[in-house]
C-alpha cells in the first residue's frame, strides 16, 4: 500500500509538473504572440506615419517645384530679364540655409543635448570618417557647384523659348540619362524595364523637337536643346553625387548643400562680374524683377530641402511621385495663366516621358520574370538545333577528343 501510495503521489507530482510546464509553455507562447503583435502594430504605425508624411511632402514638393519654375519663367519671359546666370547664382546662394534649417529641425526633435551633438558630428563626415578638408572642398564641392550652376543656367536659359510645362517634362527624362551613366560609371545592372523606360523618355524628348509647335522656329529648337543639355547635366550631377557621397544622411546632405552655397558665394560671384563687364548680362538693380527672382529662389530652397528630408524620413518613391504630379500642374498653370496651346504631338511627347518615368518606379524584382523568360527562350533556341547538326558537332567533338586520337 505504501508503494502504491508513493507511486500515486509520484504520479500526481508528475502530472502537476506536466501541467506546470504546459502552463509555462502556454504563457511563454502567449507572451511571444503579444510581443509579435506589439511589434507588428508598431511597424504598421510607423509605416502609416511615414506614408502620411510622404503624402504631405508630395503635395509641397510638387507645388514648390512648379512654383520655382513658374516664377523663373515669369522673370525671364514676362519681365524680359535676360540674366540666367545671375538668377542661378542668386538662387544657389539660398542653399546656405539648408544646414541651419537642419540644425533647427534637430533641436526641435532632440531634447537631449548629447544626441544633438552626435547629429552634428555625424553630419560633418560627408566624404568619410573625417570632417570635410580644404582639398575636398575645392576638388569635390566646388566641382559639383560648377555642374549645379551649369545645369540650372541651361534650364533657365531654355525657359526663354519654351513653356515651363514642356521644360519640366523634358527635365524629368534625366532619369534615362542617369540610368545610362549608372551603367557606365556605377556598374548598375542591366534591367529590361529600365531600358524600356529609357527608350520611352528619349523617344518623348525627340518627339518634342518635332512637335508642331516647334516647326519653323529656331528659338524653340534652341529651347529644347538647352533643356535636354540641362537634363543630361543633372544626370551627371546625380551620378557624381552618388559616387562621392553614396548614402548620405539628411544632416550630411544638408551640410553639403550649405557648403555648395559657401562655394557659390565666395568663389562663383566672380563670374557675375565677368558677365557684367563683358555686357553678356548687363543690367542694373532696377532691372531685376526681385519678386519673381526671390520667390523662385525660396521655393527652390524648399524643394531641395524637402527632397532630402523626404528621402531620409519617408520613402524615395514619394519624391518621384511628386515629380510626376508636377508635370500636369505645370501644364494646367501654362494653359490657364499663360495661354499655352498644346498640340497633339506635344501631348504625346509628354505622355511618353511620363510613362517612361513611371516605369522607373517599378521594383527591380519585377524584371526577374522577364529575364527568366529571356533565358528560357535563349536556351530553347540553342536546344532546337537540327539533329544532323547535333550529330556533326558530336562527331567533331569525338574526333577531337585526345583519348580517341591515335599516334
Amino acid at each position: 500500500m505504501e508503494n502504491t501510495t508513493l507511486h500515486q503521489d509520484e504520479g500526481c507530482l508528475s502530472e502537476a509538473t506536466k501541467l506546470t510546464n504546459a502552463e509555462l509553455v502556454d504563457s511563454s507562447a502567449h507572451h511571444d504572440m503579444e510581443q509579435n503583435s506589439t511589434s507588428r502594430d508598431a511597424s504598421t504605425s510607423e509605416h502609416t506615419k511615414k506614408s502620411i508624411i510622404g503624402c504631405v511632402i508630395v503635395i509641397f514638393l510638387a507645388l514648390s517645384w512648379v512654383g520655382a519654375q513658374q516664377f523663373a519663367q515669369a522673370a525671364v519671359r514676362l519681365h524680359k530679364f535676360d540674366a540666367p546666370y545671375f538668377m542661378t547664382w542668386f538662387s544657389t546662394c539660398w542653399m546656405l540655409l539648408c544646414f541651419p534649417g537642419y540644425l533647427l529641425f534637430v533641436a526641435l526633435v532632440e531634447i537631449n543635448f548629447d544626441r544633438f551633438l552626435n547629429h552634428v558630428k555625424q553630419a560633418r563626415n560627408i566624404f568619410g570618417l573625417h570632417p570635410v578638408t580644404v582639398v575636398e572642398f575645392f576638388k569635390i564641392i566646388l566641382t559639383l557647384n560648377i555642374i549645379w550652376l551649369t545645369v540650372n543656367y541651361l534650364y533657365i536659359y531654355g525657359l526663354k523659348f519654351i513653356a515651363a510645362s514642356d521644360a519640366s517634362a523634358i527635365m524629368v527624362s534625366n532619369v534615362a540619362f542617369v540610368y545610362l551613366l549608372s551603367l557606365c560609371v556605377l556598374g548598375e545592372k542591366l534591367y529590361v524595364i529600365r531600358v524600356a523606360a529609357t527608350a520611352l523618355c528619349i523617344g518623348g524628348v525627340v518627339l518634342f523637337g518635332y512637335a508642331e509647335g516647334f516647326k519653323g522656329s529656331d528659338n524653340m529648337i534652341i529651347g529644347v536643346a538647352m533643356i535636354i543639355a540641362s537634363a543630361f547635366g543633372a544626370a551627371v550631377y546625380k551620378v557624381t553625387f552618388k559616387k562621392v557621397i553614396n548614402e548620405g544622411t539628411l544632416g550630411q546632405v544638408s551640410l553639403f548643400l550649405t557648403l555648395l552655397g559657401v562655394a557659390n558665394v565666395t568663389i562663383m560671384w566672380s563670374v557675375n562680374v565677368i558677365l557684367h563687364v563683358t555686357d553678356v548680362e548687363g543690367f542694373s538693380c532696377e532691372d531685376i524683377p526681385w519678386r519673381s527672382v526671390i520667390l523662385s529662389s525660396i521655393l527652390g530652397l524648399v524643394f531641395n530641402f524637402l527632397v532630402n528630408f523626404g528621402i531620409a524620413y519617408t520613402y524615395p518613391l514619394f519624391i518621384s511621385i511628386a515629380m510626376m504630379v508636377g508635370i500636369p500642374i505645370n501644364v494646367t498653370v501654362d494653359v490657364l495663366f499663360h495661354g499655352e496651346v498644346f498640340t497633339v504631338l506635344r501631348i504625346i511627347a509628354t505622355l511618353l516621358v511620363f510613362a517612361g518615368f513611371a516605369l522607373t518606379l517599378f521594383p527591380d524584382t519585377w524584371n526577374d520574370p522577364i529575364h527568366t523568360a529571356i533565358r528560357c527562350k535563349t536556351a530553347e533556341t540553342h536546344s532546337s538545333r537540327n539533329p544532323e547538326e547535333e550529330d556533326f558537332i558530336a562527331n567533331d567533338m569525338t574526333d577531337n577528343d585526345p583519348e580517341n586520337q591515335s599516334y
Side-chain angles (χ1 to χ4, degrees):
M1 291 288 293
E2 290 180 0
N3 290 334
T4 306
T5 305
L6 285 172
H7 286 307
Q8 287 177 348
D9 291 341
E10 287 176 359
C12 292
L13 288 172
S14 177
E15 290 297 325
T17 304
K18 287 180 181 179
L19 288 172
T20 304
N21 290 336
E23 289 174 357
L24 288 173
V25 170
D26 291 342
S27 176
S28 177
H30 182 69
H31 180 68
D32 290 340
M33 289 178 63
E34 286 184 347
Q35 282 188 331
N36 292 334
S37 177
T38 304
S39 177
R40 284 195 300 269
D41 291 342
S43 177
T44 304
S45 176
E46 182 67 20
H47 177 74
T48 304
K49 180 181 177 183
K50 283 187 174 184
S51 299
I52 293 173
I53 295 175
C55 291
V56 174
I57 286 178
V58 164
I59 297 171
F60 283 99
L61 261 178
L63 293 177
S64 60
W65 186 48
V66 171
Q69 293 180 80
Q70 290 293 335
F71 282 115
Q73 179 178 245
V76 171
R77 301 178 74 174
L78 185 62
H79 299 286
K80 308 297 182 184
F81 184 59
D82 190 12
Y85 181 80
F86 172 79
M87 290 181 61
T88 301
W89 177 84
F90 182 79
S91 64
T92 307
C93 289
W94 289 73
M95 295 297 109
L96 286 166
L97 300 176
C98 283
F99 192 62
Y102 166 76
L103 293 179
L104 178 61
F105 169 75
V106 174
L108 293 174
V109 174
E110 293 288 357
I111 301 176
N112 190 305
F113 184 71
D114 291 334
R115 289 184 179 179
F116 176 81
L117 288 179
N118 286 334
H119 281 287
V120 175
K121 290 177 181 178
Q122 185 183 19
R124 295 185 306 171
N125 305 330
I126 300 176
F127 305 117
L129 301 176
H130 60 275
V132 180
T133 63
V134 176
V135 174
E136 288 172 336
F137 178 84
F138 284 97
K139 183 180 178 181
I140 300 176
I141 293 176
L142 181 60
T143 301
L144 286 172
N145 182 214
I146 293 171
I147 297 174
W148 175 289
L149 290 172
T150 303
V151 168
N152 288 280
Y153 172 86
L154 291 170
Y155 190 85
I156 294 177
Y157 191 87
L159 287 177
K160 291 168 57 179
F161 308 109
I162 65 174
S165 50
D166 290 337
S168 63
I170 297 174
M171 193 65 184
V172 163
S173 69
N174 77 81
V175 295
F177 297 123
V178 168
Y179 182 56
L180 293 175
L181 288 174
S182 297
L183 288 173
C184 302
V185 179
L186 301 178
E188 184 79 17
K189 290 182 180 180
L190 187 66
Y191 292 116
V192 173
I193 292 179
R194 290 193 182 183
V195 171
T198 301
L200 285 173
C201 287
I202 294 176
V205 169
V206 171
L207 192 59
F208 268 113
Y210 289 95
E212 292 178 5
F214 299 160
K215 288 181 179 179
S217 175
D218 292 336
N219 287 341
M220 289 294 186
I221 297 298
I222 292 172
V224 172
M226 291 296 103
I227 304 300
I228 292 174
S230 178
F232 180 77
V236 172
Y237 175 87
K238 290 178 179 180
V239 172
T240 307
F241 182 86
K242 179 73 173 178
K243 191 172 181 63
V244 298
I245 295 183
N246 197 12
E247 299 294 338
T249 62
L250 176 60
Q252 290 170 345
V253 175
S254 298
L255 179 59
F256 170 81
L257 291 175
T258 292
L259 291 175
L260 202 75
V262 171
N264 189 67
V265 171
T266 58
I267 300 173
M268 300 310 296
W269 64 269
S270 57
V271 179
N272 279 312
V273 177
I274 295 171
L275 293 177
H276 186 76
V277 170
T278 56
D279 206 32
V280 175
E281 290 190 4
F283 58 88
S284 62
C285 288
E286 291 77 14
D287 298 326
I288 302 174
W290 286 111
R291 178 175 172 273
S292 296
V293 172
I294 291 175
L295 286 175
S296 176
S297 300
I298 293 174
L299 290 172
L301 172 65
V302 171
F303 173 78
N304 283 292
F305 187 80
L306 285 178
V307 164
N308 298 311
F309 179 85
I311 291 174
Y313 285 92
T314 60
Y315 304 105
L317 176 64
F318 287 112
I319 312 303
S320 301
I321 292 174
M323 301 291 286
M324 294 179 65
V325 171
I327 296 176
I329 295 177
N330 254 327
V331 171
T332 304
V333 172
D334 279 338
V335 170
L336 295 179
F337 297 98
H338 303 298
E340 288 288 334
V341 178
F342 286 86
T343 61
V344 174
L345 284 179
R346 287 171 73 181
I347 294 173
I348 295 174
T350 302
L351 291 176
L352 282 176
V353 175
F354 194 87
F357 186 79
L359 281 179
T360 63
L361 304 181
F362 288 1
D364 292 339
T365 53
W366 287 24
N367 290 272
D368 294 340
I370 301 174
H371 291 179
T372 302
I374 292 173
R375 283 195 294 268
C376 292
K377 187 67 176 177
T378 305
E380 288 176 4
T381 303
H382 284 297
S383 63
S384 61
R385 289 171 175 161
N386 192 327
E388 295 180 359
E389 183 183 353
E390 291 288 346
D391 293 340
F392 174 79
I393 293 173
N395 293 333
D396 184 62
M397 290 177 65
T398 304
D399 294 338
N400 291 325
D401 191 343
E403 295 181 0
N404 296 326
Q405 292 180 356
S406 59
Y407 294 94

